[in-house]
Amino acid sequence: DVIRPVNALCHLHEKRVGSRTICVGCRSSLTTEAFLQQAFCDNRIVSSKYTVWNFLPKNLFKQFRRIANFYFLIIFLVQVIVDTPTSPVTSGLPLFFVITVTAIKQGYEDWLRHKADNEVNKYLVTVVEDGQRVRKESEKIKVGDIVEVLEDLILLQSSRDDDTCFVTTASLDGESNHKTHYTVPDTEKEVELLNATIEFASVHIWYLPICVAVSACESLGPENLLLKGATLKNTKKIYGVAVYTGMETKMALNYQGKSQKRSAVEKSINAFLIVYLFLLVGKALVCTTLKYVWQSRPGERVQPGEIRTLGDMFTDFLSFMVLFNFIIPVSMYVTVEMQKFLGSFFITWDKDFFDTEIQEGALVNTSDLNEELGQVEYVFTDKTGTLTQNNMEFIECCIDGFQYKYRESQAELDGFSVTDGPIYKVQEKEMEDLFLRALCLCHTVQVKESQLAEVDGDQIDSISGAQCGFIASSPDEVALVKGAMKYGFTFLGLECKNMKILNRDNDVEVYELLHMLNFDPVRRRMSVIVKSKTGETLLFCKGADSSMFPRLRREEVDRIQVHVQRNAKEGYRTLCVAYKQLSTEVYVQVDASLREARLALEDREEKLAAAYNRVETGMTLIGATAVEDRLQEQAAETMEALQSAGMKVWVLTGDKMETAKSTCYASRLFQQGTELLELTVRTLEEGGRPREERLLQLLQEYRLYLLLPCVVYRSWSSAGQDYGLIVDGATLSLVLNASPETDSSRYKSLFLTICQSCTSVLCCRMAPLQKAQIVRMVKNSKGNPITLSVGDGANDVSMILEAHVGIGIKGKEGRQAVRNSDYAIHKLKHLKKLLLAHGHLYYVRIAHLVQYFFYKNLCFILPQFLYQFYCGYSQQPLYDAAYLTMYNINFTSMPILAYSLFEQHICIEILLDSPTLYRQMAKNALLRWGPFSYWTLLGIFHGLLFFFGAFFLFSNPALLSTGQVFGNWAFGTVVFTVLVFTVTLKLALDTRHWTWINHFVIWGSLSFYIVFSFFWGGIIWPFLEQQRLYFVFANMLSSVSAWLAIVLLILLSLLPEVLLLVLRRPRGPRVRQVPATTVSRYSDPFIPSLPAPSFLPLTFFFSFANSSSPPSPASSA
Amino acid sequence: MKSQQAANRPDNTAFTQQRLPAWQPMLSAHFVIPGFLLIGMAFIGIGVALYITSQNIQVLEKDYTGTGQYTACSECADMQTIPCICNVTFSLTTLFTGPVFLYYGLSNYYQNYRKYQVSRDDVQLWGDVTKSPADACAPYQYIDNKPIAPCGSIANSMFNDTFSLYQIINGTMKLVPLDGKGIAWWTDYNIKFRNPSAQGSLQDAFNGTMKPVNWSKPAYELNPSDMNDNGFLNQDFLVWMRTAALPDFQKLYRRITSGDYALGLPPGDYVLQIEYNYAVKDFGRKKVVFSNVTWMGGKNEFLGVAYIVVGSLCLVMSVVMLVVYAKYKFADENA
């Protein structure tokens, strides 16, 4: 029993709750109880939700948890249990249909997941078992197995000689640089015979390996742990111990936990639903009451056996509920879902979103939010990689106070051109070389090995051609190394801790890399300690100016600071480069402290940071670099379009203020005329008073400044003046987390008011969490504006998740943002079409869909309600059961679905040309109570018309020329025919974009209704108890009066619609003119937006007034 | 590489790019104003035709409930003597153009009451009297464990007043022949309803069933004068079984199509002899209606008036639109 004493050695974490101890290679030999308790999950990846066996119950349970489905289930059960006017089939069939469609969709999705899982789980891997190498299916790997590649594992043996391996974690966190991982010392030789235990300590839920015990406890760290999903680079194969398997791997854990976002439209639907529910209950109550009032009147004939008790009343109430339950459209949910699901394909299919470089189109992760794209009020965008390309280019450098600019056109030997300084002075030359060496050495860039392999020692020249051969986590670093290459210093690569540089004279210089002090966002700098051939130990450091300047000797700073600030202003990313010579004694100290910190078992991070800080002091500044981050294609046009569409654009960046500001200017978020208000540490410190007081004072000043002129000269002031606000992270945290004694909500509301009056806001120096905080603050502000976040990096994930709509840009910083986003696009410019065209159309479509659904069911059920007054409140259905069942499923469902997929009330080009059209839909314009009551009134009007039209027609039921009479089913059929035609033609009137599909479904539905009615009435159906509709439809059509009444009622119902369509300002040609002439971002925001088309009928005289006024200042000019 | 490119690239079809050729109708005033004018005129035309037709339809209504303001048949209203025969007399000054249709009308009578309305068995009425009647027929399902044929409330409450019409010529009563054929729907008589089939007479076919409680005669003896007008195929029964849509309704009783009266009822005095069996005075009224019928059916002024109103509305709207549009266009051109 070897393990126990070993465990005792590693006593540090032995008894910790939930600690993880893994036994390697001891499976067959050991049955100690210590390991029996530790049951690790197997290596099956399960992303599927159902199995064949539990699919039905589990899926049904999930579906009936939705309120609407549950409601229909209840109605169905009531119909089964209580004696109700309609058979259970009428509500059971639609419900069954809806449930089946949803189940099929979810089943299909789950089948895809199963397939993907199986692909992973059945993958064959090599496992070392009892000293032999065996091929095994991936899902059978157990924790403790030694495997070739795969899983989360502790690296044991590498094919490389230096016991390292390189991986990229692009699919995990998006970082595409090569990371070096090390094998566990002592284990690399005999993998087959290894016998050891590994201890883990918990670090936030996730465990980090602490030590491995073979003969003695060896410390392990993250550099020994390889995560599943990483890709092996430059290494043939490795062996490792599987320590996490299946669902416990970090990759699997990462996949979980994306909260569900719900769209504002869904909230509107729910609100309308409640109104209709009240309507339904109200109708049922009215009918129940009236029934008993009517029956208690003397002389009324009551059916034999009908007793009036409280129980009967309740049954009656339920019966009425069942009779009127169609007012809440069961099929709406399924149609909405189908519309969203199918509609989202248009985004993936759009070839404008296709990127030829990556060979991919846009990606839709959630189709639930399509319409939200048409409602965006605030856009939060990241800067680097989103507004800018994250494609860095070395622009210039400044060495010892002199500026150097590279110009390719100049044929100078070394490509150097000096703008404002001498070059070849001896001293300058020295500084230049030092600077360039620093650039070549101080980085984490790696050379792609494939290219390195081709290069022999003799043919060194050829490497300069291999420009794309650098890989790094940050594009800045590549840009710098490439920049140095242009000036003659080429980094050749890192081999066995030796960095090789090809200098200007084509000599290879070799430096031994002693320590790498990695970059982190807190320090905002990185350093290397190298030893040159001559034995000098040098520390090179580069970093952001703010973090560097305090650590430098004062005298050089001023000269270079001028350049740095000027460069920053021009939108370049600047870094300062410094160095320090370390004497042998000092280095020994430094070395010791760094090693100690690195091996620390506890608080390693802090100790390391402290050690780094101690080393990086008293350095000498050599120079500064300027790297340009180009703007994305059409970034400025896109931003301008978004702003004129009424969206407020906020830039949230971690960059420094000057750089961010210049990007804002470049992307036209700030313009020459924009007045900038600053809330930064600088402005806070001006007054010399405590920061918080000064902040409050500033906030109040700005608010007065912004709001007063609006009150006084409302229309004048805002027309000419735009305001921009600049906030930095420190100030923002002061605003958001103001100390308890001050009124923090006051700061917040003041800040919000200021922000809302500015056209654009720039937040710089933001931490990722602060980005999310800002989004949350705006999201929860008054009016709950719809927010959208765009970002491309892992630091944007929090704000992408927080915003209503999160958009990921498939950029250079990996896929983290894309994975967490709702929609992923390639370029910022795609945002314009996504919002202005797709979003706008989706919103109009779904809004119309929802309103139409409520409308058509209201005018469907209202006649049935009215009929109760003429049938003794006996729950007599007006329509036949087949009509009741099929109205929503067959007769009227397809036209609206086609409409909601293909409608373009304004065609895409015009939407893109005139962003102001986007404002028409702002604030959920089509689903507010105004349009809703319009549709409801329309439904009531139609319902009344249908019923009383037929009622008066039937005042003499002898409608046939033979003198024969019609009965109650003919009455219902007349109403129903008018209903189906009116409702479908109403949609036809609203359709502005008739594709062949629209024609097909609209005319198809109507003909289907006619054919079905003939068919349904043409046969004695053996399964029916009563042949109610037998030849009713055909007989109805043989009556001239019925024909005339049907035509009259349809026409009369549609008359107001047609009138409105005509009397509203003619849209077509005008819309085509307006955008070309008037749209400018200076157009007065206080002019009310154009009346929404086709949905606000009340405004037709208003629109006359509107249209008769001169259309645009541009045309009058 | 090529194939991958093809796989990833979205299809560049009109459908996927939302560029399907589309008709974008614009309901412009140019199109709608003439349209409204046309529709308006057409509607007024139809309306006038309907109205005139309706006006030309002669209607003669006689309420014979026997209570209230109408005294006809008041002697029978208390339902003491059964059968009670009463006479309703009327005189025509002009020819009542034929063919004349005789309707009976009931008011405040809820044939569309749900529980009443479902109380029938269409399978039984299709000729199957051997099976047990549908549960919906209860409480008119069985008598002494024998099925009722026809079962249910509707059949049980069948209207059973009978009418015969006499013209008084020189003091003698001349019978006006009433035609009871073709008063029900053709499909009801020929397809939807069937008499039970049996070897012998219709009576044998109904063997083992009971007549409805309220009926004085069994189904197979409904019309003693015409053997083919009995059982479930009795035309009065068929008419009754087609339940009315509204509580005030009228149903076709007879047509006057033959003999001297084929062209109509000539001026003169008439006596309508009513066998008063059907009690409605507790809840409503009953009446008898003479009417002639045109292509639009019976008299109904609603349609004509509605067409004229809607037609005029269209005309007015087209004029309003014309005015507004002219003004608006004027302003538009100035701008």
Side-chain angles (χ1 to χ4, degrees), chain A residues 600-618:
Chain A
L601 290 174
E602 275 175 338
D603 305 328
R604 195 184 292 163
E605 296 288 318
E606 292 92 75
K607 281 183 187 164
L608 268 177
Y612 289 166
N613 278 340
R614 276 199 301 279
V615 181
E616 293 163 337
T617 44

Side-chain angles (χ1 to χ4, degrees), chain A residues 27 121 209 294 389 411 443 663 673 770 836 849 863 870 872 889 928 938 948 971 1017 1019 1057 1076 1079 1115:
Chain A
R27 182 166 32 139
N121 290 337
W294 180 76
Q389 289 182 345
H443 56 70
T663 310
Q770 276 185 316
L836 297 188
L849 168 75
Y870 299 96
I889 309 180
R928 274 183 292 176
L938 188 73
F948 285 106
F971 182 80
I1019 295 173
E1057 286 294 310
V1079 176
S1115 63

Side-chain angles (χ1 to χ4, degrees), chain A residues 295 349 351 359 845 867 870 874-875 904 909 953 956 958 962-964 967-968 994 1027 1035 1041 1044 1066, chain B residues 5 10 12 17-19 23 101 103 112-114 122 184-185 191-192 243 245 296 298-300 307 328:
Chain A
Q295 285 190 345
W349 282 337
K351 73 172 168 26
Q359 294 294 328
R845 289 167 183 172
Y867 193 51
Y870 299 96
S874 60
Q875 302 115 29
Q904 293 172 34
E909 285 76 23
L953 180 73
N956 181 355
T962 57
Q964 292 164 349
N968 63 323
W994 287 77
Q1027 312 294 335
N1035 260 325
S1041 293
L1044 288 174
Chain B
Q5 191 171 335
N12 186 12
Q17 301 307 314
Q18 306 196 62
R19 289 182 192 288
W23 174 52
F101 290 70
Y103 295 88
N112 56 11
Y113 198 86
R114 181 168 66 91
D122 278 2
W185 287 17
I191 302 161
K192 194 177 168 184
T243 49
M296 63 170 284
K299 191 180 182 82
N300 189 343
Y307 262 88
Y328 157 69

Side-chain angles (χ1 to χ4, degrees), chain A residues 716-728:
Chain A
W716 280 89
S717 63
S718 50
Q721 192 57 58
D722 276 344
Y723 293 98
L725 180 72
I726 303 176
V727 193
D728 67 359

Side-chain angles (χ1 to χ4, degrees), chain A residues 83-85 291 294-295 299-301 303-304 306 346 348-351 354 356 359 838 845 867 870-872 874-876 902 904 909 949 951-969 971 989 992-997 999 1025-1028 1030-1032 1035 1040-1041 1044-1045 1048 1051-1052 1055 1058-1059 1061-1063 1066 1068 1070 1104 1107 1111, chain B residues 1 5 8-12 15-29 32 36 39 43 46 50 101 103 108-110 112-118 120 122-123 126 139-140 153 182-185 187 191-192 242-247 250-252 255 282-283 293-300 302-303 306-307 310 313-314 317 321 324 328 331-332 335:
Chain A
D83 168 44
T84 54
K291 175 173 186 172
W294 180 76
Q295 285 190 345
E300 293 301 344
R301 170 182 275 201
Q303 257 325 93
E306 203 156 352
F346 284 123
T348 28
W349 282 337
D350 196 322
K351 73 172 168 26
F354 184 75
T356 40
Q359 294 294 328
H838 285 284
R845 289 167 183 172
Y867 193 51
Y870 299 96
C871 70
S874 60
Q875 302 115 29
Q876 169 68 17
F902 305 116
Q904 293 172 34
E909 285 76 23
F951 178 80
F952 287 119
L953 180 73
F954 272 70
S955 60
N956 181 355
L959 291 168
L960 287 163
S961 55
T962 57
Q964 292 164 349
V965 295
F966 280 149
N968 63 323
W969 297 116
F971 182 80
L989 277 181
R992 295 267 73 83
H993 190 84
W994 287 77
T995 65
W996 65 265
I997 301 171
H999 280 289
E1025 271 181 33
Q1026 294 194 15
Q1027 312 294 335
R1028 293 166 163 170
Y1030 189 67
F1031 259 77
V1032 164
N1035 260 325
V1040 181
S1041 293
L1044 288 174
L1048 176 84
L1051 213 110
L1052 190 56
L1055 212 63
V1058 178
L1059 269 181
L1061 273 178
V1062 178
L1063 290 185
R1070 287 187 64 85
F1104 272 111
S1107 51
Chain B
M1 186 62 208
Q5 191 171 335
N8 283 338
R9 182 181 286 278
D11 291 340
N12 186 12
F15 177 74
T16 56
Q17 301 307 314
Q18 306 196 62
R19 289 182 192 288
L20 281 176
W23 174 52
Q24 286 166 311
M26 206 59 75
L27 274 177
S28 68
V32 174
F36 266 53
I39 292 175
F43 269 42
I46 296 171
L50 278 168
F101 290 70
Y103 295 88
N108 202 25
Y109 191 106
Y110 287 83
N112 56 11
Y113 198 86
R114 181 168 66 91
K115 286 192 174 151
Y116 174 87
Q117 217 268 340
V118 296
R120 60 192 281 166
D122 278 2
V123 179
W126 210 37
Y140 304 107
S153 297
I183 57 170
W185 287 17
T187 46
I191 302 161
K192 194 177 168 184
R242 182 151 298 278
T243 49
L246 297 169
Q250 58 187 45
K251 283 179 184 284
L252 186 54
R255 297 182 301 159
D282 289 340
F283 56 88
V293 162
T294 60
W295 52 272
M296 63 170 284
K299 191 180 182 82
N300 189 343
F302 161 73
L303 262 187
Y307 262 88
V310 173
L313 222 78
C314 284
M317 279 330 291
M321 259 192 286
V324 170
Y328 157 69
D332 196 34

Side-chain angles (χ1 to χ4, degrees), chain A residues 1068-1081:
Chain A
R1070 287 187 64 85
V1071 168
R1072 267 161 245 260
Q1073 295 164 12
V1074 171
T1077 52
T1078 60
V1079 176
S1080 92
R1081 57 194 304 267

Side-chain angles (χ1 to χ4, degrees), chain A residues 478-490:
Chain A
V478 178
L480 289 178
V481 174
K482 277 185 185 167
M485 200 163 83
K486 282 183 197 158
Y487 293 141
F489 276 76
T490 310

